[in-house]
Amino acid sequence: MLDPARNFHPVADVKFYIDQMVRYKYNVLQIHLTDDQGWRMEIKSQPKLASKQHYTQDDIRDIIAYAEERHVDVVPEVDVPGHTVAILAAYPELACKHLHDSPVKVDETTNRMVCAANEKTYTILKDVVREVCALFKSPYFHLGGDEAAVPANWAKCPDCNEMMKQKGYTKATQLMIPFFNNVLSFVREGGKKPILWCELDNVYPPANDYLFPYPKDVTLVTWRNGLTPTCQKLTQQNGNPLIMAPGEYAYFDYLQWKGDFPEFGNWGMPTTSLQKTYELDPGYGRPAAEQAHILGVMGTLWGEAIRDINRATYMTYPRAFALAEAAWTQMEHRSWESFKERIYPNITLLMKSGVSVRVPFEIAR
Ligand SMILES: [Zn+2]
Ligand SMILES: [Zn+2]
């Protein structure tokens, strides 16, 4: 996953990133197109949405065609209902009513959401989803769904509270049900299969259930530290397909080694070493029958601290070698000792191709 929403990557850089990932059998690229820091795609019916730096629809077609020639499926992500400051900057009236007088500033993560009770929220998202579905060839469409700051937004909004009362809800998070009923229906109308980040009833263990009942056709991505075993159990029981991106192993924005980080954009990130990534068992040790719904693994490169493509590849490699092997090689054939021997030729190959990578000095001999 690339995140040009936080720091924009020009088309040529996205292609460069694709060139590297296909060497290691990565065949899906999720692009996180929208967030608090920017809206990176032209929407012809809602021209106010796009930030100054964005992909035109022709740019997107160009990226998709390039990826397709290399057997890579490009999955769009439009993140709602949280992480929506870029939408609120274009349409301030979509904020919850009690926040109408506190303007948003793009580039600041302020936990602002679009209002669940405003009809116009759905009018605009319907336009967005229709155009994105028509543009992208992927069978999938990622709608975010992560880190919705419900207590500060929907829970305090008079309109959202009225909607809760009408529906007989006791918790504001239940508004996720009608919100996603609407937005997921747009995705289905566009002929796509929806994906969401998996959120549970707690953000760290213990958690017992989904944040809200996900429809069966939603593929979920597990990501929060410590919650993957619960996500795996719940998705298996509820029939939701699952993508593995557990933060402990697969978050490529995390430091690779203590102190190996420039002093910007670091919100206190944990460390995920190369060896830690290598240790990922995509099935988390569960019996085969409990792994059957797992579609694959994903490395997530969140972009707050990724200012350019050199930084993007530096944070991706060599950990992406380890994640690729975790994805494609059965556990009984995996060996850290063997992997260590095999990565050096690949590091040299990438460097000779002009790719910025981190040399894992901690295992060099
Ligand atoms: Zn986001
Ligand atoms: Zn509201």
Side-chain angles (χ1 to χ4, degrees):
M1 187 208 80
L2 263 186
D3 174 11
R6 266 53 176 270
N7 282 292
F8 188 69
H9 297 299
V11 171
D13 288 351
V14 176
K15 290 180 178 176
F16 182 78
Y17 198 78
I18 291 170
D19 287 341
Q20 313 319 319
M21 62 182 264
V22 296
R23 297 176 193 265
Y24 302 102
K25 295 176 79 171
Y26 286 95
N27 53 13
V28 180
L29 178 65
Q30 180 179 323
I31 306 194
H32 184 74
L33 288 162
T34 70
D35 214 295
D36 291 343
Q37 290 83 352
W39 182 284
R40 304 302 184 188
M41 180 184 36
E42 174 189 25
I43 301 294
K44 290 184 191 287
S45 57
Q46 300 290 347
K48 278 159 70 181
L49 281 172
S51 304
K52 196 158 164 254
Q53 286 184 300
H54 69 269
Y55 305 113
T56 65
Q57 296 205 353
D58 281 342
D59 288 341
I60 298 275
R61 280 187 203 97
D62 186 16
I63 290 170
I64 292 170
Y66 190 87
E68 194 174 33
E69 280 170 19
R70 288 153 185 82
H71 308 286
V72 171
D73 182 29
V74 182
V75 175
E77 181 189 354
V78 173
D79 199 352
V80 289
H83 293 245
T84 43
V85 167
I87 303 180
L88 295 172
Y91 298 97
E93 67 273 26
L94 297 191
C96 278
K97 210 172 227 169
H98 64 296
L99 293 169
H100 275 191
D101 293 329
S102 43
V104 293
K105 240 201 202 152
V106 178
D107 229 34
E108 273 172 35
T109 301
T110 43
N111 284 340
R112 296 285 293 273
M113 292 165 68
V114 289
C115 182
N118 187 337
E119 276 304 312
K120 201 175 168 192
T121 296
Y122 303 105
T123 310
I124 289 171
L125 290 179
K126 190 171 189 174
D127 282 345
V128 168
V129 170
R130 190 186 60 245
E131 289 195 33
V132 173
C133 285
L135 191 56
F136 282 79
K137 293 188 177 177
S138 175
Y140 289 101
F141 191 138
H142 199 309
L143 281 161
D146 60 314
E147 298 183 323
V150 173
N153 292 271
W154 296 352
K156 290 187 180 148
C157 168
D159 291 349
C160 285
N161 274 278
E162 182 56 35
M163 190 177 179
M164 280 174 65
K165 214 189 290 168
Q166 278 171 17
K167 298 203 175 273
Y169 292 154
T170 52
K171 291 181 295 184
T173 50
Q174 288 174 288
L175 291 173
M176 292 291 253
I177 300 168
F179 178 85
F180 274 113
N181 267 348
N182 276 321
V183 183
L184 292 175
S185 76
F186 308 151
V187 169
R188 293 182 193 113
E189 279 164 28
K192 306 289 191 193
K193 295 190 264 189
I195 307 178
L196 292 173
W197 301 108
C198 184
E199 287 285 20
L200 303 181
D201 55 7
N202 201 357
V203 295
Y204 46 83
N208 298 304
D209 207 347
Y210 288 153
L211 177 67
F212 71 100
Y214 292 112
K216 261 198 170 49
D217 67 338
V218 174
T219 295
L220 292 168
V221 186
T222 176
W223 59 284
R224 283 194 186 272
N225 284 8
L227 289 181
T228 290
T230 312
C231 283
Q232 183 170 359
K233 194 178 79 192
L234 289 170
T235 48
Q236 195 232 331
Q237 288 169 354
N238 289 286
N240 296 103
L242 179 65
I243 294 167
M244 303 297 271
E248 302 94 316
Y249 301 95
Y251 264 40
F252 291 160
D253 55 325
Y254 291 175
L255 285 70
Q256 298 171 77
W257 200 254
K258 193 170 173 286
D260 185 52
F261 209 74
E263 283 311 309
F264 62 80
N266 185 355
W267 43 263
M269 292 185 206
T271 299
T272 295
S273 68
L274 175 62
Q275 184 166 0
K276 180 75 181 174
T277 299
Y278 190 79
E279 285 165 0
L280 172 65
D281 169 4
Y284 263 60
R286 304 304 302 162
E290 293 175 28
Q291 301 184 16
H293 65 303
I294 297 175
L295 302 183
V297 306
M298 169 162 66
T300 37
L301 186 65
W302 295 109
E304 288 95 329
I306 308 292
R307 290 289 164 95
D308 74 354
I309 197 64
N310 297 307
R311 192 71 201 164
T313 57
Y314 181 93
M315 295 305 282
T316 304
Y317 299 96
R319 284 183 296 193
F321 301 157
L323 193 68
E325 190 152 310
W328 289 108
T329 305
Q330 298 295 320
M331 285 306 285
E332 62 268 32
H333 300 304
R334 303 257 301 277
S335 154
W336 168 245
E337 291 306 317
S338 146
F339 175 77
K340 277 198 295 188
E341 298 297 325
R342 287 178 285 116
I343 63 168
Y344 263 84
N346 286 286
I347 287 173
T348 308
L349 172 75
L350 288 185
M351 285 175 141
K352 283 182 176 164
S353 317
V355 183
S356 169
V357 301
R358 176 175 179 272
V359 178
F361 59 86
E362 68 277 10
I363 62 167
R365 286 178 308 157

